[in-house]
């Protein structure tokens, strides 16, 4: 019986020994595989976060409220410091205009009223945006703006009238403003709207997008940037 028991236990003990040997010999490999899986998971999470962030960049940063004009969105650095809505008493044409105004005396950043469309029908053209704008007590600056992004959300054309010679400030009666951008073949999305920084209020009305010819100058900040640096030794004086 002892011999039989030994014969029975022999394979079991041997199997356990093989299992333990395999466990201890493969444990470092298993740990390495686990670390590899964790690294892959981290990369996947990071890529997912990046994708979601890129998607969010193309969406308004604030969900539309009851006061947001239909078809438009609200964005900006601190849009909660501003109010956006419709005005049925102050307008240039029709029966209403949109407005952006500061909520208190010390708003931070800026707010923008915007709309985004596909660039398919405008590639290879010069697109002009015009709009009637009225301003009251704008302390910072305001303007209309248009931006063209490619499929990877890289900006390929942009203008927002921030230049001191073109920006809207103080109080201004209704006036038509315009900007024009060349829409490249790589353009995927066209964003446009109005922006205001700091205190005051602007009204926006009668927005138009029209394809124009070369007689209308492009106002693109990106393409109009200098090709080469200047006055690097500061010996060129001042403006």
């Amino acid at each position: 019986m002892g011999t039989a028991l030994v014969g029975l236990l022999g394979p079991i003990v041997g199997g356990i020994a093989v299992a333990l040997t395999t466990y201890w010999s493969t444990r470092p490999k298993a740990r390495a595989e686990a670390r590899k899986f964790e690294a892959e998971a981290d990369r996947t999470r990071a890529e997912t976060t990046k994708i979601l962030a890129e998607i969010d960049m193309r969406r308004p940063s604030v969900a539309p409220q009851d006061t947001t004009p239909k078809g438009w969105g609200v964005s900006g650095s601190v849009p909660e410091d501003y109010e956006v809505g419709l005005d049925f008493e102050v307008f240039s044409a029709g029966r209403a205009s949109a407005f952006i105004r500061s909520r208190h005396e010390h708003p931070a950043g800026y707010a923008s009223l915007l709309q985004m469309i596909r660039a398919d029908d405008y590639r290879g053209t010069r697109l002009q945006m015009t709009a009637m704008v009225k301003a009251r007590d704008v302390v910072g600056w305001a303007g209309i703006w248009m931006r063209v992004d490619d499929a990877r959300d890289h900006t390929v054309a942009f203008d927002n009238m921030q230049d001191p010679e073109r920006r809207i400030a103080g109080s201004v009666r209704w006036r038509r403003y315009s900007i024009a951008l060349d829409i490249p073949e790589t353009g995927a999305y066209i964003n446009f709207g109005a922006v205001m920084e700091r205190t005051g209020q602007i009204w926006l009305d009668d927005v138009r997008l029209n394809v124009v010819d070369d007689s209308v100058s492009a106002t693109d900040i990106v393409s109009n940037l200098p090709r080469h640096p200047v006055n690097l030794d500061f010996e060129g004086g001042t403006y």
Side-chain angles (χ1 to χ4, degrees):
M1 182 175 178
T3 302
L5 182 59
V6 170
L8 178 63
L9 292 176
I12 297 175
V13 173
I16 294 173
V18 171
L20 289 172
T21 301
T22 303
Y23 171 76
W24 289 110
S25 64
T26 59
R27 190 175 182 185
K29 183 178 180 181
R31 287 178 175 174
E33 289 293 329
R35 286 195 293 270
K36 180 180 178 181
F37 289 143
E38 288 181 7
E40 289 292 338
D42 288 341
R43 277 195 292 271
T44 300
R45 283 192 292 269
E47 291 173 358
T48 301
T49 301
K50 181 182 178 182
I51 291 172
L52 291 175
E54 290 175 348
I55 291 174
D56 287 341
M57 284 176 62
R58 296 199 342 225
R59 296 175 179 171
S61 61
V62 176
Q65 304 295 323
D66 292 341
T67 60
T68 304
K70 184 178 180 180
W72 295 80
V74 180
S75 186
S77 56
V78 192
E80 58 270 24
D81 280 0
Y82 299 83
E83 181 182 359
V84 174
L86 292 175
D87 194 323
F88 293 96
E89 295 182 358
V90 178
F91 48 84
S92 172
R95 62 186 186 87
S97 67
F99 68 83
I100 304 174
R101 65 173 168 237
S102 52
R103 292 182 180 274
H104 50 78
E105 294 182 357
H106 302 288
Y110 66 92
S112 176
L113 178 66
L114 76 151
Q115 196 170 140
M116 181 174 70
I117 61 174
R118 297 181 64 90
D120 303 50
D121 296 338
Y122 300 99
R123 294 191 188 107
T125 70
R126 178 164 294 178
L127 186 63
Q128 182 185 50
M129 173 190 177
T130 66
M132 295 295 292
V133 180
K134 173 183 170 71
R136 183 176 64 195
D137 300 330
V138 175
V139 173
W141 68 278
I144 60 173
W145 65 275
M146 182 162 56
R147 189 185 74 236
V148 184
D149 298 333
D150 64 16
R152 295 186 177 182
D153 285 330
H154 296 151
T155 298
V156 293
F158 176 64
D159 183 23
N160 64 353
M161 291 180 54
Q162 190 175 8
D163 185 284
E165 296 181 358
R166 299 172 59 218
R167 64 176 55 177
I168 300 170
S171 296
V172 180
R173 294 182 178 179
W174 284 111
R175 175 183 169 185
R176 183 164 293 278
Y177 295 87
S178 68
I179 56 181
L181 301 179
D182 289 326
I183 312 301
E185 293 299 329
T186 57
Y189 310 100
I190 300 173
N191 307 267
F192 62 93
V195 58
M196 190 185 80
E197 182 180 56
R198 299 181 66 184
T199 57
Q201 179 171 357
I202 63 169
W203 289 263
L204 180 72
D205 202 358
D206 196 23
V207 181
R208 303 178 187 179
L209 293 178
N210 295 304
V211 174
V212 295
D213 57 30
D214 292 344
S215 64
V216 177
S217 300
T219 59
D220 182 15
I221 294 174
V222 177
S223 64
N224 289 332
L225 287 173
R227 290 182 176 272
H228 306 286
V230 297
N231 197 27
L232 299 183
D233 59 2
F234 305 105
E235 300 298 326
T238 62
Y239 291 101

